[in-house]
Amino acid sequence: MHRTEVPPTTPASRPNSSSTITQYFSNFAGQSTHSPRWRAPITLRTSPTLWRVVKAVVINSIALFPIGAVDNQLLEREEWKLLSGPLVASCFLIFGHPQSVLAQPLNVVLGHAIGAIVGMCIGMIGGWVSVVFAVPITMMILEALRLGHPPACGTTLVAATRENLMVHMGGWFMMATVLSASWLVLVSCVFNNLAGHQYPRHWWMF
């Protein structure tokens, strides 16, 4: 009987530590946009023209002016000023990149709501502990629920740094946050579709 010879197996080569370190630091150089491995997660638009700048100013003014008027009545001056930062960051996503998964309605509204709740709860601890743990906890929850929305972490930080916000005006802060995020989604639905950019891509992630 003819016996087939099995080639001897060579032991698995261990990775060279120097090459691993070199590869690690080479990642910092990024990749060329002409590389076949490179894929842009979001299609960037062309350079802004004067008309696009004017449209951006008008749309963002329509979106943010009612929010400022309502939040100024619901919240104290300091909380209203701080909350406007995360909401402006949301404007950049939902008006500038409406196709991004981070800009979808559920991500925007529930993201800010979860951020507000976590921030107010952790803020009751007070001190530096609330600042250190509030944002990581929010990130963990949003990732677990597939509701990633980076500006929501800003809402968490605003709530966490205002000690006893839950006791003094927790309901008002929550209402202002959810109403503001919902208004941004509504304005985005109107103007993005008028401009020919479908929004939203989906309402529900689950």
Side-chain angles (χ1 to χ4, degrees), residues 36-92:
R37 295 176 56 192
W38 188 86
R39 295 291 185 272
I42 299 175
T43 303
L44 300 179
R45 298 181 184 177
T46 56
S47 301
T49 61
L50 178 60
W51 172 237
R52 286 184 178 176
V53 172
V54 171
K55 286 196 298 183
V57 171
V58 171
I59 293 173
N60 281 278
S61 299
I62 294 174
L64 294 174
F65 182 78
I67 290 176
V70 172
D71 289 357
N72 191 33
Q73 299 298 319
L74 296 178
L75 304 177
E76 296 179 1
R77 181 176 178 83
E78 200 63 31
E79 281 74 18
W80 168 73
K81 287 165 59 178
L82 293 174
L83 182 59
S84 62
L87 295 174
V88 170
S90 292
C91 282
F92 177 82

Side-chain angles (χ1 to χ4, degrees), residues 45 90-91 93-109 149 181-203:
R45 298 181 184 177
S90 292
C91 282
L93 277 175
I94 63 178
F95 293 120
H97 303 284
Q99 298 300 306
S100 171
V101 67
L102 304 176
Q104 301 311 302
L106 203 65
N107 297 62
V108 177
V109 178
H149 187 66
S182 301
W183 172 252
L184 290 180
V185 169
L186 177 61
V187 174
S188 181
C189 286
V190 174
F191 283 96
N192 273 318
N193 286 291
L194 284 176
H197 306 293
Q198 181 185 1
Y199 183 85
R201 287 176 59 186
H202 47 72
W203 284 97

Side-chain angles (χ1 to χ4, degrees), residues 2-24:
H2 179 69
R3 297 176 60 185
T4 58
E5 295 184 359
V6 180
T9 57
T10 58
S13 59
R14 296 181 179 178
N16 191 345
S17 59
S18 60
S19 63
T20 304
I21 295 175
T22 304
Q23 177 63 36
Y24 171 76

